[in-house]
Amino acid sequence: MIPAGHLPILLSMSALLLTGSLALSPPKFTKVPKDIISTSGGVASFVCQATGDPKPRVTWNKNGKSMSSQRIEKIEFDGGAGVVLRILPLRAPQDEDIYGCVAENSEGKVSVQAKLSIISEDLLPAGFPKIEKNPQLKVVSRTTSNGRIKQLRSGALQIDNAEDSDEGKYECMASNVEGVRHSSYSRLYVRDPRVYPEERIIPPHFSIIPPATQEIVPGSSANLTCVAAGSPMPCVKWMLNSEDLTPEDDYLDGSSILKLKDILESANYTCVVKSILGIIKANTQIIVKSLPKPPTFLVLIETTATSITIAWDNGSLEPVSHYIIEYSAKSPESKFKAMDPITTTRYSIRGLSPNTDYEIRVSAFNAIGQGPPSDPVEATTLKQAN
Ligand SMILES: *[C@@H]1O[C@H](CO)[C@@H](O)[C@H](O)[C@H]1NC(C)=O
Ligand SMILES: *[C@@H]1O[C@H](CO)[C@@H](O)[C@H](O)[C@H]1NC(C)=O
Ligand SMILES: *[C@@H]1O[C@H](CO)[C@@H](O)[C@H](O)[C@H]1NC(C)=O
């Protein structure tokens, strides 16, 4: 007889032997990807998962070939036995293909395929799904229990007793026989209510948005002010392309003034506002403008006894808002007299004296101011006809 105390040990040893020899199994799909009809610019999301022993690894291919693109995202779950393949934004025709999912372990290999078709937005059939309301950013307090996530008939997603692991990006998907439509995504933040009570959570927003564009003359300075609020208070910084311009110590107070001096080149600056609740940005385009160049090719078109008609070229590719003509009778004591602004490049000056020498010049204006005058053109009015 075996002493009672030894029995459990023998039993568990035989159980070990059993799992070692009999439980190995080749992979079998538990989730297979479905064919997708989506839109150009939209999203395709294929899901593939398998079981087996040892746990299989799942991989994706595009018509048998491996793929890599910035538009492709592979999200593993179940320790690599499941992979979501996401392609976005979709482009036709290069993404239209057969996508293969392969599950493999030491005992075998299985594969399954799904087809992706893409329709351009202007050719969608009438019944193609439409997203009427995209999900909204949300912050909730953390609590815990089970069976918490439900999809409501309205299309809402309800999560009871939020846990830290619920935090992340959420999107919804609408599908019917015509195709699939993904909403934009939104973030869910789960916060410790002792640190962030719900009423104190306010996503970052601007209180002072810097100007979208600012035109300046070369060598001048500008102060760009960006102020933001929110709870928790967001940090604010300025960037020029990918370069940080604000020292890290200056981050925390929800506002930032970028002081620019002796600006010589046009550039785009970005105010970046960031808190745990998200990032918002505002761009300011600094445009360095010079005064307009003098008009060129000032020519005499016609003279009469009392009028002179001239025309000119606008002399610069930069936008000109208007011109000013100045003229003067040619004599040592007379001065140039300015006429009212005009927007044409041809003009008849009237009310002149007959048989008189005149000097005429034109200058251009833009948003910055008046440019230097052109070289003067000389003209003599005709003798008065009797
Ligand atoms: C920018 O702010 C400084 C003070 O911080 C001031 O001296 C300067 O005149 C301002 N420049 C412009 C262009 O407003
Ligand atoms: C700034 O952005 C505008 C609009 O996106 C672009 O047209 C312009 O070329 C940019 N300027 C510079 C200096 O990068
Ligand atoms: C000046 O000439 C440029 C290029 O020909 C043109 O784009 C611009 O509109 C002109 N401006 C005026 C005020 O005529």
Side-chain angles (χ1 to χ4, degrees):
M1 202 185 128
I2 304 166
H6 289 175
L7 199 58
I9 297 171
L10 284 173
L11 276 176
S12 66
M13 274 179 73
S14 61
L16 240 176
L17 285 173
L18 277 174
T19 47
S21 60
L22 293 181
L24 287 182
S25 62
K28 208 168 77 188
F29 286 113
T30 51
K31 276 203 180 79
V32 293
K34 295 194 189 106
D35 290 351
I36 291 177
I37 306 172
S38 189
T39 57
S40 180
V43 181
S45 182
F46 293 106
V47 187
C48 187
Q49 187 181 16
T51 59
D53 194 3
K55 203 185 238 303
R57 269 206 72 76
V58 162
T59 54
W60 279 96
N61 62 67
K62 184 179 178 184
N63 209 353
K65 298 192 191 77
S66 69
M67 54 186 156
S68 76
S69 155
Q70 296 211 325
R71 294 181 299 108
I72 290 177
E73 200 183 342
K74 292 173 196 157
I75 304 160
E76 289 192 6
F77 60 98
D78 187 15
V83 180
V84 181
L85 172 69
R86 282 167 65 83
I87 310 171
L88 76 163
L90 287 173
R91 302 223 176 106
Q94 63 263 50
D95 295 335
E96 288 193 292
D97 215 325
I98 304 286
Y99 292 83
C101 170
V102 178
E104 188 171 11
N105 66 10
S106 55
E107 304 306 298
K109 183 169 166 177
V110 286
S111 67
V112 63
Q113 293 183 323
K115 186 179 160 195
L116 172 60
S117 318
I118 299 173
I119 314 182
S120 82
E121 286 282 347
D122 47 346
L123 297 174
L124 293 182
F128 200 88
K130 244 196 250 152
I131 302 286
E132 290 187 337
K133 189 163 180 233
N134 282 298
Q136 304 293 312
L137 175 143
K138 191 142 183 70
V139 186
V140 298
S141 297
R142 172 180 3 104
T143 48
T144 314
S145 93
N146 291 325
R148 309 166 295 110
I149 303 183
K150 309 192 254 292
Q151 187 173 335
L152 307 184
R153 288 184 110 187
S154 62
L157 184 72
Q158 180 174 321
I159 302 175
D160 295 326
N161 303 313
E163 297 172 358
D164 286 346
S165 63
D166 296 329
E167 185 160 302
K169 288 184 190 176
Y170 286 77
E171 68 181 21
C172 81
M173 203 176 94
S175 70
N176 62 14
V177 289
E178 304 290 359
V180 175
R181 179 84 82 169
H182 288 244
S183 70
S184 61
Y185 73 80
S186 190
R187 280 189 178 280
L188 174 71
Y189 295 91
V190 181
R191 290 288 167 259
D192 185 335
R194 287 162 304 182
V195 184
Y196 296 111
E198 244 169 273
E199 69 278 8
R200 279 191 38 221
I201 291 176
I202 304 163
H205 57 275
F206 287 107
S207 2
I208 299 177
I209 304 181
T213 58
Q214 190 158 333
E215 296 192 344
I216 54 146
V217 291
S220 62
S221 5
N223 294 338
L224 299 178
T225 304
C226 182
V227 182
S231 176
M233 190 55 123
C235 61
V236 179
K237 65 175 179 178
W238 280 96
M239 296 187 78
L240 172 59
N241 305 319
S242 55
E243 184 194 342
D244 274 358
L245 299 174
T246 309
E248 208 141 319
D249 306 345
D250 292 358
Y251 268 24
L252 287 170
D253 60 350
S255 82
S256 178
I257 300 178
L258 180 66
K259 293 180 180 153
L260 299 169
K261 276 194 198 133
D262 194 22
I263 308 165
L264 297 174
E265 281 180 5
S266 299
N268 292 332
Y269 294 90
T270 308
C271 172
V272 180
V273 173
K274 189 174 164 187
S275 82
I276 49 157
L277 303 178
I279 294 186
I280 52 172
K281 293 177 180 180
N283 290 317
T284 294
Q285 188 178 5
I286 295 275
I287 304 167
V288 176
K289 279 254 162 157
S290 336
L291 291 171
K293 298 200 175 60
T296 51
F297 301 109
L298 191 59
V299 292
L300 192 59
I301 303 285
E302 195 188 8
T303 46
T304 68
T306 57
S307 77
I308 297 172
T309 302
I310 52 164
W312 59 92
D313 195 80
N314 80 19
S316 69
L317 294 171
E318 301 292 315
V320 166
S321 59
H322 59 270
Y323 297 97
I324 284 209
I325 297 175
E326 296 169 294
Y327 70 93
S328 147
K330 223 177 155 191
S331 72
E333 63 272 21
S334 72
K335 284 199 191 113
F336 275 102
K337 181 173 162 222
M339 304 189 62
D340 286 339
I342 53 166
T343 55
T344 55
T345 55
R346 180 189 168 110
Y347 194 75
S348 298
I349 309 163
R350 298 181 194 283
L352 301 176
S353 310
N355 198 21
T356 309
D357 291 335
Y358 285 96
E359 268 191 308
I360 304 152
R361 63 187 193 190
V362 180
S363 47
F365 277 74
N366 66 10
I368 302 294
Q370 181 174 15
S374 64
D375 290 335
V377 66
E378 293 180 13
T380 307
T381 44
L382 302 181
K383 290 200 177 93
Q384 190 76 59
N386 289 318

